[in-house]
Amino acid sequence: MYTEFFGLHEKPFAITPDPRYLYMSARHTDALAHLIYGISESGGFIQLTGEVGTGKTTLIRSLLEQLPNKADIALILSPQLTTLEFLQTVAQELGCMLPREVTVKAIVDNLNSHLLRVHASDRRVVLIVDEAQTLSPELLEQVRLLTNLETAKQKLLQIILIGQPELRELLDRPEMRQIAQRITGRYHLEPLSYEDTTAYVRHRMRVAGAQSDVFTKSAIRVLFKRSRGIPRLINVIADRGLLAAYTQDRRTVDGALVTRAAAEVFGARRTRGPWWRLAAAVAGLAVFAIATTNLWRSPTEPAAVAPAPSAAPTVAGLTRAPAEPSVAPPPRAEQSSAAIAVDAEAAPPNPAAEPPPAAAVTLHDLLADPEFEVSTDEAIGQLLVLWGARYDAARGEPCQQAEEQGLRCVFQVRGTLGELRRVNWPTIVSLVAEDGSEHSVVLASLDYEHADVVAHGKTFQLPLVELSFYWYGDHLLLWRPGNAPSRDLVPGVDDEGVLWLRNTLAQVRGEEPPADTSTHYDAALERRVRAYQRERQLTVDGIVGERTQIALLADLKMPDTPLLFAGR
């Protein structure tokens, strides 16, 4: 409708995965390089994850256009199949003859013979599974068994698993450790930055035939804010903005038009589907998978991306509220009382103790309870108590009080429940209500369905889907550094903290104390650190900063440390 008006030969923001429109940000370039490396090398799994709409499927299409000549690809786009159906699909994709007797064993035997023939002709075979987070544990185990097809020197099949962030959570479970240990490369696609969003919009407009910039700077700012840098949302909002400009006979799209376009998009989404009733019907693992990736935000407008915080956490306000919040809450569950609280006396940390039971309520109910509301200072004070430390409310400055008792505050943004589970320590999360108000609460305990939050010495139980819906990732941790170095350790440095690093890595790995007592951070140690960072899904840079130190200490499972999740 608007293409001729703007001098375009096609719609620039169609949501189909057309490789011509793939904008290669630095993150996408790295991800594609990981995939190509996975095809060129042999053995194990490659894992690529990213939020809904970050461009994973488009990246696959681009990969297929850049395949090495000696690679055969089996692409599974919809893996919600039985084990037998899955194996049949793989065999058909590879051109492997199906046996007369269609059984799992017969198909695997045929696949093995086919892979040996392909290997003898010096070709590589790669299985790419999209939406891999939907694979059942039984099917994942069968996929793992496929990697057992090998010669004496080489695996016959390289497998690339591509999925949403809950794939990481799925593979992080103890029962999935055999698969996790075979993952040789992990990569997570992040949303676009503001600069990348600008380049992304211009790139797509140019590919569609635009000769000038149609979107103004203010339009790009609003587009980035409302989409949170997620390409699919950028496409939907930008397309609606172009249509709005066309109907008003305007040759440019400004911030006001994008604001109205976003309101249309997210307003329409808020009226669809009984999301809360669906959540109530889903039990156990399904709830956990949805909650850990914040999918309950999907029918609403995402919050604006917060800028990176300074090194020192801000105590006066844990987070900044998203500008013009428009997140609609899930419908309230019927409750006869505002909240049910259980006394939880402050006591020294007891990792074996479980939080007292409490009745599940909605956040709306909790916010109406005057015993629930706490300031950020009070929340940090409560967190200090969980760590067995003292807190003097009259003094204030709780992070300073923490320092005096051997603890440190660390503020982090855009976290996930999966990250909190891996660290496994109580934390303070900032919940943003539908009116934009922020509420700092102590997350004291977590299971697969509920979260226990503490306020004024009482424990309140919140459904995990509610916590995920209102939490944007900002959180504050307390940690006890002990003998950990007070500054970042970078490769090449000579520092006493390197001894701590060598000994701690050995303890985490269950190894004997290292014979090397050098204080020099050498190349061999850097390789060990990078391998550890990759396993723990940290930034793989070899720099042992605060987050890597926290992960190491969490893995040591030190005594007198409070636990968030009793399942670890």
Side-chain angles (χ1 to χ4, degrees), residues 359-476:
V361 294
T362 66
L363 181 65
H364 188 282
D365 292 325
L366 290 182
L367 296 182
D369 188 338
E371 292 190 328
F372 178 72
E373 186 67 23
V374 295
S375 68
T376 304
D377 279 17
E378 290 172 327
I380 300 176
Q382 181 65 61
L383 196 58
L384 280 167
V385 171
L386 291 178
W387 277 85
R390 301 175 305 280
Y391 174 61
D392 183 355
R395 280 186 55 194
E397 299 182 344
C399 284
Q400 179 61 42
Q401 293 190 44
E403 289 270 3
E404 294 167 1
Q405 299 176 75
L407 294 164
R408 287 186 201 165
C409 295
V410 56
F411 177 78
Q412 296 183 344
V413 297
R414 297 181 67 181
T416 66
L417 288 175
E419 291 173 14
L420 299 186
R421 287 181 187 278
R422 284 190 287 274
V423 173
N424 203 28
W425 297 336
T427 186
I428 297 172
V429 296
S430 178
L431 306 182
V432 182
E434 59 267 26
D435 62 358
S437 58
E438 295 178 64
H439 304 272
S440 299
V441 299
V442 176
L443 184 59
S445 179
L446 196 63
D447 60 26
Y448 289 107
E449 297 183 41
H450 303 98
D452 286 350
V453 296
V454 177
H456 299 298
K458 294 187 176 181
T459 299
F460 301 83
Q461 192 173 85
L462 195 65
L464 205 57
V465 290
E466 282 254 335
L467 179 71
S468 178
F469 186 91
Y470 290 101
W471 183 49
Y472 287 79
D474 291 3
H475 61 286
L476 185 145

Side-chain angles (χ1 to χ4, degrees), residues 223-244:
L223 187 57
F224 172 68
K225 170 184 163 186
R226 298 304 174 103
S227 68
R228 225 166 20 109
I230 296 175
R232 185 175 299 164
L233 292 179
I234 293 173
N235 291 349
V236 175
I237 299 171
D239 179 74
R240 198 67 64 92
L242 287 171
L243 180 61

Side-chain angles (χ1 to χ4, degrees), residues 245-258:
Y246 164 73
T247 59
Q248 297 181 29
D249 198 29
R250 296 168 60 173
R251 296 290 176 179
T252 59
V253 179
D254 60 15
L257 280 176
V258 173

Side-chain angles (χ1 to χ4, degrees), residues 156-184:
L156 296 176
L157 185 65
Q158 172 75 64
I159 299 176
I160 298 177
L161 299 178
I162 299 176
Q164 295 167 20
E166 59 262 42
L167 174 61
R168 294 189 297 181
E169 309 303 332
L170 178 62
L171 297 178
D172 200 34
R173 294 187 207 160
E175 62 268 26
M176 294 288 105
R177 63 186 179 277
Q178 290 192 62
I179 295 177
Q181 290 169 2
R182 297 191 183 194
I183 295 176
T184 57

Side-chain angles (χ1 to χ4, degrees), residues 6 15 33 49 51 102 118 128 171 195 203 232 244 290 301 306 357 398 407 446 461 481 498 508 511 529 559:
F6 288 107
I15 61 174
T49 54
E51 288 288 353
V102 182
V118 171
I128 301 176
L171 297 178
E195 292 76 14
H203 168 74
R232 185 175 299 164
I290 292 171
E301 177 177 0
L407 294 164
L446 196 63
Q461 192 173 85
V498 175
V508 167
E511 302 168 351
V529 169

